[in-house]
């Protein structure tokens, strides 16, 4: 087992802003996001939200089996951030910055253009463990603030980061990409998002991709050319 690139055993509040540990401050983006999530969920009523729907949504059946992939999103975020936190701090910075960018843009959209979806089944076609878990998710995760889908945006950012990870094997990269693809389509099968929410996430990903990965690379190339 390879050793972490940073020794976090010496981490203290007093040295959190030191060059060795200040990348951890990026994690503060999460409580800020959760605060705005709470505010939008609390103060923007469903009747003030625009329903997001397209004909393709009606052709996609509810399938509780996709809950497995939908829920794996949470684990994918934690595992990815933890791995890069331990073994590639630069990629941790980039992934967390990517997440903050899509969170910020999405929150602005949720406030300026409140959205909701009315796709959830009134009655589940089957009663089993997965539908019981799905009912629990429906209870705590409201059907508002859906377009663009952060499930999709985070997942694509994670895939982009793993594809750039030199220490990851081809098998790991393929597995991550397959899982991300299944997560992205799962949001429609468990009726948490419309197909339009997936499409709406793509511009966010393009903006974050450019700011986090492509723009710094272009600057480095320009510096190399100027130095010659």
């Amino acid at each position: 087992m390879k050793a972490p690139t940073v020794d976090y055993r010496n981490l203290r509040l007093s040295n959190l802003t030191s060059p060795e540990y200040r990348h951890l401050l990026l994690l503060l983006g999460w409580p800020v996001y959760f605060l705005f999530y709470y505010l939008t969920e609390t103060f923007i009523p469903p009747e003030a939200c625009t329903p997001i729907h397209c004909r393709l949504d009606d052709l996609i059946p509810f399938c509780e089996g996709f809950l497995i992939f939908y829920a794996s999103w949470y684990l994918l975020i934690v595992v990815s951030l933890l791995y890069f936190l331990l073994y590639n701090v630069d990629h941790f910075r980039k992934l967390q910055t990517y997440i903050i960018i899509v969170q910020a843009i999405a929150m602005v959209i949720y406030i300026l253009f409140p959205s909701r979806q009315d796709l959830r089944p009134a009655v589940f076609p089957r009663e089993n463990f997965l539908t019981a878990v799905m009912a629990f998710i429906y209870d705590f995760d409201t059907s508002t603030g859906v377009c663009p889908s952060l499930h999709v945006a985070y997942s694509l950012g994670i895939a982009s980061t793993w594809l750039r990870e030199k220490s990851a094997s081809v098998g790991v990269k393929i597995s991550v990409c397959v899982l991300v693809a299944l997560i992205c389509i799962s949001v429609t099968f468990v009726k948490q998002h419309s197909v339009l929410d997936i499409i709406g996430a793509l511009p966010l990903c393009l903006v974050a991709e450019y700011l986090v990965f492509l723009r710094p690379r272009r600057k480095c190339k320009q510096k190399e050319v100027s130095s010659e």
Side-chain angles (χ1 to χ4, degrees):
M1 185 176 180
K2 62 182 180 179
T5 56
V6 176
D7 187 356
Y8 292 102
R9 291 175 297 180
N10 298 320
L11 175 64
R12 303 290 186 275
L13 281 177
S14 58
N15 61 8
L16 182 58
T17 57
S18 66
E20 187 177 11
Y21 300 122
R22 61 188 175 197
H23 57 276
L24 293 170
L25 294 174
L26 288 169
L27 292 172
L28 293 176
W30 286 102
V32 173
Y33 162 72
F34 287 130
L35 173 61
F36 276 95
Y37 173 83
Y38 170 78
L39 292 175
T40 55
E41 291 289 295
T42 303
F43 295 105
I44 301 179
E47 55 269 21
C49 300
T50 300
I52 305 299
H53 175 266
C54 68
R55 186 178 179 185
L56 186 55
D57 295 328
D58 300 328
L59 301 177
I60 299 174
F62 171 82
C63 181
E64 69 271 22
F66 277 91
L67 171 62
I68 296 171
F69 304 112
Y70 181 84
S72 68
W73 176 74
Y74 300 96
L75 184 62
L76 179 64
I77 294 173
V78 173
V79 170
S80 297
L81 286 174
L82 182 59
Y83 179 89
F84 295 129
L85 185 66
L86 294 176
Y87 303 116
N88 192 329
V89 172
D90 181 56
H91 276 183
F92 169 81
R93 289 194 192 98
K94 289 178 177 177
L95 176 56
Q96 184 56 39
T97 301
Y98 188 112
I99 290 173
I100 290 173
I101 290 171
V102 297
Q103 284 175 338
I105 298 175
M107 276 299 150
V108 171
I109 295 173
Y110 294 161
I111 293 171
L112 298 180
F113 180 70
S115 58
R116 75 171 194 266
Q117 55 92 349
D118 302 321
L119 304 171
R120 296 177 176 180
V123 178
F124 290 119
R126 294 162 294 278
E127 294 292 335
N128 51 47
F129 174 74
L130 293 178
T131 54
V133 174
M134 202 68 243
F136 172 75
I137 292 176
Y138 284 173
D139 284 340
F140 81 82
D141 188 7
T142 69
S143 59
T144 60
V146 294
C147 187
S149 167
L150 287 178
H151 237 77
V152 173
Y154 291 177
S155 299
L156 293 178
I158 290 172
S160 181
T161 309
W162 274 107
L163 288 173
R164 290 176 166 86
E165 176 56 40
K166 294 180 179 179
S167 68
S169 66
V170 174
V172 168
K173 293 179 180 180
I174 292 175
S175 298
V176 169
C177 288
V178 171
L179 177 58
V180 164
L182 290 169
I183 289 172
C184 289
I185 65 172
S186 73
V187 301
T188 62
F189 282 94
V190 297
K191 299 303 178 180
Q192 283 288 77
H193 286 282
S194 162
V195 172
L196 297 178
D197 300 336
I198 298 177
I199 297 173
L202 300 182
L204 272 70
C205 296
L206 291 175
V207 171
E209 185 78 15
Y210 173 75
L211 294 176
V212 174
F213 294 111
L214 301 182
R215 187 181 180 188
R217 183 179 299 178
R218 288 182 61 183
K219 285 186 175 180
C220 289
K221 288 182 178 180
Q222 290 173 355
K223 288 181 180 179
E224 290 174 0
V225 171
S226 62
S227 63
E228 293 175 357

